[in-house]
Amino acid sequence: MSAGLFAPRGTTEVVERGLEFQPKFDADGLIPAIVTDAASGEVLMFAWMDAQALALTLEQGVAHFHSRSRRKLWRKGEESGNLLRVSEARIDCDQDVLWLKATVEGAGVACHTGSRSCFYRTVPVGARPSPQIRLTRD
Amino acid sequence: MSAGLFAPRGTTEVVERGLEFQPKFDADGLIPAIVTDAASGEVLMFAWMDAQALALTLEQGVAHFHSRSRRKLWRKGEESGNLLRVSEARIDCDQDVLWLKATVEGAGVACHTGSRSCFYRTVPVGARPSPQIRLTRD
């Protein structure tokens, strides 16, 4: 799927230290993408891209993903109007994770539940975990 | 592996709207974790946790992961001293991604390459992608 769109993987040295973009897609042809709010830095969401979604995202500056449940290309916000306008894209050391800084258009809501961010609940830290852990909602 | 440590998954409604912690581990028994700097909000790294790593992280407030390449529990910074002290943990809407806010101890370096963050290179946005894309290094 990525044939022709992006460069093939080089050596570890080239992947980590080089300036060639050689994104790694996993066995399912996907790469994970973290999306943060370009203004606040808050993590808004996390989703997966195939090569086509990544190419469209970089070209248009609007986030596209691959829906694993629906098995299709997904232009985030195409129905709700809450498009993610990407102002910056970063790749990690081993080039297998993307970080996108974005602005949410429309209602400014990134999560399908209606929350601004998908991460609207905190997990307690500092106590022994159990099946009875309770989350705290913002 | 997660048997007994965390609650089993409920309905979509419970998972998304509830206050029960029901983390989803994938077919390999792993859940992805995004780590941001507690002060700056910068994304520092991304890694995977199994149930044991997640339990240790929540109990100790120090990030543990599962190394997929070494196939073992990995207390981040155990060799370098750059432990990740977790001040806040969040879970996303469908409870299959974690977001940790952390402070890097020791030399303050989260990436094995010596960079503060693993995301030290940007990918150009706004032009048609090609195998010749060049990254920009911070």
Side-chain angles (χ1 to χ4, degrees):
Chain A
M1 292 195 293
S2 62
L5 281 175
F6 300 104
R9 299 279 286 180
T11 62
T12 299
E13 177 75 13
V14 167
V15 165
E16 293 187 349
R17 309 280 177 176
L19 296 180
E20 295 167 88
F21 186 45
Q22 301 175 332
K24 182 178 180 181
F25 298 92
D26 69 11
D28 295 321
L30 303 175
I31 186 170
I34 301 159
V35 181
T36 63
D37 185 288
S40 70
E42 177 185 28
V43 178
L44 295 173
M45 61 173 290
F46 172 91
W48 297 82
M49 293 181 174
D50 59 10
Q52 182 189 15
L54 176 55
L56 287 168
T57 299
L58 294 177
E59 183 171 355
Q60 299 181 10
V62 173
H64 292 67
F65 301 101
H66 173 82
S67 168
R68 294 187 299 174
S69 55
R70 290 176 290 162
R71 298 189 180 184
K72 67 168 194 172
L73 182 72
W74 166 40
R75 182 179 165 96
K76 168 71 183 167
E78 61 190 347
E79 294 176 9
S80 64
N82 301 328
L83 295 175
L84 294 175
R85 188 71 58 181
V86 178
S87 53
E88 188 175 309
R90 288 181 169 267
I91 189 83
D92 77 333
C93 47
D94 40 8
Q95 299 206 31
D96 62 359
V97 183
L98 290 154
W99 169 16
L100 308 178
K101 297 183 185 179
T103 303
V104 189
E105 300 198 336
V109 167
C111 184
H112 77 284
T113 63
S115 291
R116 173 165 175 74
S117 159
C118 293
F119 296 85
Y120 47 81
R121 290 170 297 185
T122 58
V123 188
V125 176
R128 183 179 292 270
S130 82
Q132 284 76 44
I133 289 181
R134 299 294 289 180
L135 305 172
T136 303
R137 172 135 199 171
D138 288 347
Chain B
M1 293 195 293
S2 63
L5 281 175
F6 301 103
R9 300 279 285 180
T11 62
T12 299
E13 177 75 13
V14 168
V15 165
E16 294 187 349
R17 308 279 176 178
L19 296 180
E20 296 167 87
F21 186 45
Q22 302 175 331
K24 181 179 181 182
F25 297 92
D26 68 12
D28 295 321
L30 302 176
I31 186 169
I34 301 160
V35 182
T36 62
D37 185 286
S40 72
E42 177 185 26
V43 178
L44 295 174
M45 61 175 288
F46 171 91
W48 297 82
M49 294 180 174
D50 59 10
Q52 183 189 15
L54 176 56
L56 288 168
T57 299
L58 294 178
E59 182 170 358
Q60 299 181 11
V62 174
H64 291 67
F65 302 101
H66 173 81
S67 169
R68 293 187 297 174
S69 55
R70 291 176 289 162
R71 297 189 181 186
K72 67 168 194 172
L73 182 71
W74 165 42
R75 182 177 164 95
K76 169 70 184 168
E78 61 189 345
E79 294 175 8
S80 65
N82 300 328
L83 295 176
L84 293 176
R85 188 71 58 183
V86 178
S87 53
E88 187 175 309
R90 289 181 169 267
I91 189 79
D92 76 334
C93 47
D94 40 9
Q95 299 206 30
D96 63 358
V97 182
L98 290 153
W99 168 19
L100 308 178
K101 298 183 184 180
T103 303
V104 190
E105 299 198 338
V109 167
C111 184
H112 76 286
T113 63
S115 291
R116 175 166 175 73
S117 159
C118 294
F119 296 85
Y120 47 81
R121 290 169 297 185
T122 57
V123 188
V125 175
R128 182 180 292 269
S130 83
Q132 284 77 44
I133 289 181
R134 300 293 288 180
L135 305 172
T136 303
R137 173 134 196 170
D138 288 347

